[in-house]
């Protein structure tokens, strides 16, 4: 990532230097840049910078928590905690983000591995949809973005819970085939399926065989060394104090070696956390910058009257915010600050549509889903998210905000 950034910076500087040389050689006046000090440009820069600065602390917190969970919480822990009852499993998946607040950027690969290890598909789907929204980091970011309207933060959590649970029940009822790309076979009657096949099964078998052989050889070596030391102790002619000295030396050496390995493992995990957090931060940072840029551009170039007419429409406001959320592909820890910039022109229901739909389905999540799941299942899931989010947000708006 750093090499790519340096390459782009070098290329941009090279182009600027070439343009400067051309201007000097042709003795032409530089272009008129007075528009940079205009009122519209000042408004654009203010919106752009304010969105980034407000969202940046929560993005940093989100990637750090995600990296810690990625390194220290195993997939087996999540799978072991998942209830086997369908209803309880869906409810657990809706609120598991409170315990494991993973970002949606790194959630799809983890979910794919969990499904291959036996997690029900409907639970995995609910986890993908609800996890990026129903977690403490996103709640804090939404609450801070809408400080004067805290009901939006509560409503976002409630609406995401309802939408994810409804989609999970639909998937449990109608999806019978394993949707993982490259995996074959039907799901079992209770929704559990996706036994590892092909390369994954061979890999699991190889890991099991390696673990068994390693543990067996280690135990055998330990017994052999103990027998050797015991024979030497009885057959050796040196005094007993010398034998005691050797035993103490070996024990200290082993203890120091174990402590060294433990320290090395701890430092490796710390470096892994920092590396994962930095990679995820740069990956999400470009979407945040693009989203802030496009939002500031819309607010600056589109007339306020036009935005109000779109934002107060019964359906147009929801459809516009769904399209905006899909294109921007913002992280759930930063999208609330973009939504708050539209709070004066768009209805509350359309803002909730943006806050719920965007983390569940956008350009980057679609591409990641296609890399892990079959295209037919991704199309089905996308259609369910569009229909259920739109219907639930319209109903929620009529019940609580009219």
């Amino acid at each position: 990532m750093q090499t790519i950034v340096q390459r782009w910076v070098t290329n941009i500087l090279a182009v600027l230097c070439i343009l400067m040389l051309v201007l000097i050689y042709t003795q032409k006046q530089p272009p008129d840049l007075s528009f940079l000090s205009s009122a519209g440009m000042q408004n654009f820069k203010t919106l752009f910078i304010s969105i980034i600065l407000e969202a940046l602390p929560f993005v940093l917190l989100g990637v750090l928590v995600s990296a810690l969970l990625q390194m220290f919480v195993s997939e087996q822990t999540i799978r072991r905690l998942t209830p086997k009852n369908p209803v309880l499993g869906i409810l657990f998946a809706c609120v598991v983000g409170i315990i494991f607040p993973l970002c949606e950027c790194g959630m799809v690969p983890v979910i794919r591995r969990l499904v291959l290890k036996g997690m029900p598909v409907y639970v995995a789907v609910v986890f993908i949809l609800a996890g990026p929204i129903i977690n403490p980091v996103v709640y804090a970011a939404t609450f801070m973005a809408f400080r004067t309207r805290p009901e939006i933060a509560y409503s976002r959590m409630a609406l995401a819970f309802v939408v994810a649970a409804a989609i999970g029940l639909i998937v449990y009822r109608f999806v019978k085939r394993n949707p993982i790309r490259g995996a074959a076979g039907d799901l079992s009657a209770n929704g559990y399926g996706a036994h590892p096949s092909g390369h994954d099964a061979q890999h699991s078998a190889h890991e099991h065989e390696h673990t068994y052989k390693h543990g067996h050889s280690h135990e055998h070596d330990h017994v052999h060394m103990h027998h050797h030391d015991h024979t030497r102790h009885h057959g050796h002619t040196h005094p007993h104090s010398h034998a005691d000295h050797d035993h103490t030396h070996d024990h200290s050496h082993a203890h120091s070696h174990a402590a060294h390995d433990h320290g090395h493992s701890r430092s490796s995990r710390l470096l892994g956390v920092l590396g994962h957090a930095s990679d995820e931060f740069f990956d999400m940072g470009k979407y945040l910058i693009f989203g802030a840029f496009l939002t500031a551009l819309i607010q600056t170039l589109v007339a306020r009257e036009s935005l109000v007419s779109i934002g107060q429409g019964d359906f147009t406001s929801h459809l516009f915010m769904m399209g905006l959320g899909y294109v921007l592909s913002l992280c759930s820890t930063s999208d609330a600050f973009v939504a708050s910039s539209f709070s004066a022109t768009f209805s509350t229901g359309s803002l909730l549509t943006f806050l719920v739909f965007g983390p569940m389905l956008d350009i980057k999540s679609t591409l990641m889903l296609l890399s892990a799941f079959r295209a037919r299942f991704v199309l089905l899931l996308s259609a369910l998210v569009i229909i259920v989010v739109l219907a639930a947000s319209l109903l929620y708006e009529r019940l609580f905000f009219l």
Side-chain angles (χ1 to χ4, degrees):
M1 176 64 70
Q2 188 175 3
T3 306
I4 297 176
V5 172
Q6 291 176 351
R7 189 183 305 158
W8 274 98
V9 171
T10 304
N11 293 336
I12 292 173
L13 290 177
V15 171
L16 292 177
C17 290
I18 292 173
L19 291 176
M20 188 65 67
L21 290 174
V22 170
L23 291 175
I24 294 173
Y25 179 76
T26 57
Q27 295 182 352
K28 290 184 178 181
Q29 294 293 329
D32 185 17
L33 301 178
S34 59
F35 72 93
L36 294 177
S37 59
S38 62
M41 183 55 65
Q42 293 296 330
N43 187 29
F44 170 81
K45 290 187 290 186
T46 302
L47 285 171
F48 177 71
I49 295 174
S50 62
I51 291 173
I52 291 179
L53 291 181
E54 286 183 330
L56 198 59
F58 294 95
V59 173
L60 288 171
L61 179 61
V63 299
L64 183 59
V65 172
S66 176
L68 288 171
L69 292 174
Q70 188 75 16
M71 294 299 297
F72 293 100
V73 179
S74 64
E75 300 161 4
Q76 288 80 2
T77 302
I78 300 177
R79 187 165 60 91
R80 188 172 61 250
L81 293 175
T82 304
K84 295 184 178 181
N85 181 273
V87 177
L88 294 179
I90 290 175
L91 295 178
F92 171 78
C94 286
V95 299
V96 73
I98 299 175
I99 308 172
F100 306 110
L102 292 171
C103 181
E104 69 268 23
C105 302
M107 187 173 290
V108 174
V110 174
I111 290 300
R112 181 184 183 276
R113 290 193 294 268
L114 288 174
V115 173
L116 287 173
K117 292 182 178 181
M119 173 177 277
V121 174
Y122 61 89
V123 174
V125 167
V126 175
F127 191 21
I128 291 176
L129 298 179
I133 302 176
I134 307 177
N135 68 68
V137 178
V138 174
Y139 174 79
T142 309
F143 190 86
M144 289 299 297
F146 294 93
R147 288 183 290 271
T148 59
R149 303 176 65 184
E151 68 275 7
I152 292 183
Y154 311 141
S155 300
R156 183 185 192 183
M157 303 296 117
L159 191 61
F161 183 94
V162 171
V163 169
I167 295 176
L169 290 173
I170 295 173
V171 172
Y172 169 74
R173 176 64 179 83
F174 294 102
V175 176
K176 301 300 181 183
R177 291 190 60 84
N178 190 348
I180 296 294
R181 182 180 292 273
D186 294 336
L187 299 176
S188 59
N190 63 353
Y192 285 79
H195 293 288
S197 60
H199 174 72
D200 294 315
Q202 294 176 3
H203 183 68
S204 300
H206 175 72
E207 287 182 349
H208 177 74
E209 182 181 0
H210 175 74
T211 304
Y212 173 78
K213 287 184 176 180
H214 178 73
H216 181 74
S217 61
H218 177 74
E219 183 180 358
H220 176 74
D221 292 342
H222 177 72
V223 173
H224 177 72
M225 290 175 62
H226 178 73
H227 177 71
H228 177 73
D229 291 341
H230 183 72
T231 304
R232 185 179 62 181
H233 174 70
H234 284 282
H236 211 281
T237 56
H238 286 285
H240 182 71
S241 59
H242 180 72
D244 290 341
H245 173 73
D246 289 340
H247 176 73
T248 305
H249 174 74
D250 293 339
H251 177 74
S252 300
H253 177 72
H255 181 74
S256 300
H257 183 70
H260 175 73
D261 289 342
H262 182 70
H264 180 71
S265 175
R266 184 180 299 175
S267 61
S268 299
R269 285 196 172 190
L270 181 59
L271 291 176
V273 168
L274 295 177
H276 181 83
S278 62
D279 291 341
E280 195 167 350
F281 175 76
F282 282 110
D283 182 61
M284 290 191 302
K286 60 179 179 287
Y287 293 104
L288 173 60
I289 293 174
F290 174 71
F293 176 82
L294 188 58
T295 302
L297 200 64
I298 292 173
Q299 295 276 15
T300 304
L301 297 181
V302 180
R304 183 177 178 83
E305 293 77 13
S306 301
L307 282 178
V308 171
S309 63
I310 296 174
Q312 299 303 319
D314 292 336
F315 293 99
T316 56
S317 59
H318 293 269
L319 295 177
F320 178 84
M321 295 305 280
M322 289 172 71
L324 185 65
Y326 187 84
V327 172
L328 292 183
S329 299
L330 290 171
C331 179
S332 56
T333 55
S334 59
D335 58 357
F337 298 95
V338 173
S340 65
S341 64
F342 290 97
S343 59
T345 52
F346 277 74
S347 63
T348 303
S350 61
L351 295 178
L352 287 175
T353 301
F354 176 82
L355 294 172
V356 174
F357 181 81
M360 291 186 177
L361 188 67
D362 55 28
I363 293 176
K364 93 173 164 295
S365 65
T366 302
L367 296 176
M368 295 179 69
L369 287 171
L370 286 172
S371 67
F373 296 93
R374 291 190 173 96
R376 181 179 298 181
F377 178 77
V378 175
L379 289 175
L380 173 64
L381 184 61
S382 302
L384 287 176
V385 171
I386 293 172
I387 295 171
V388 176
V389 169
L390 182 60
S393 59
L394 287 172
L395 180 62
Y396 198 89
E397 184 179 33
R398 290 185 179 275
L399 290 177
F400 298 101
F401 295 107
L402 286 181

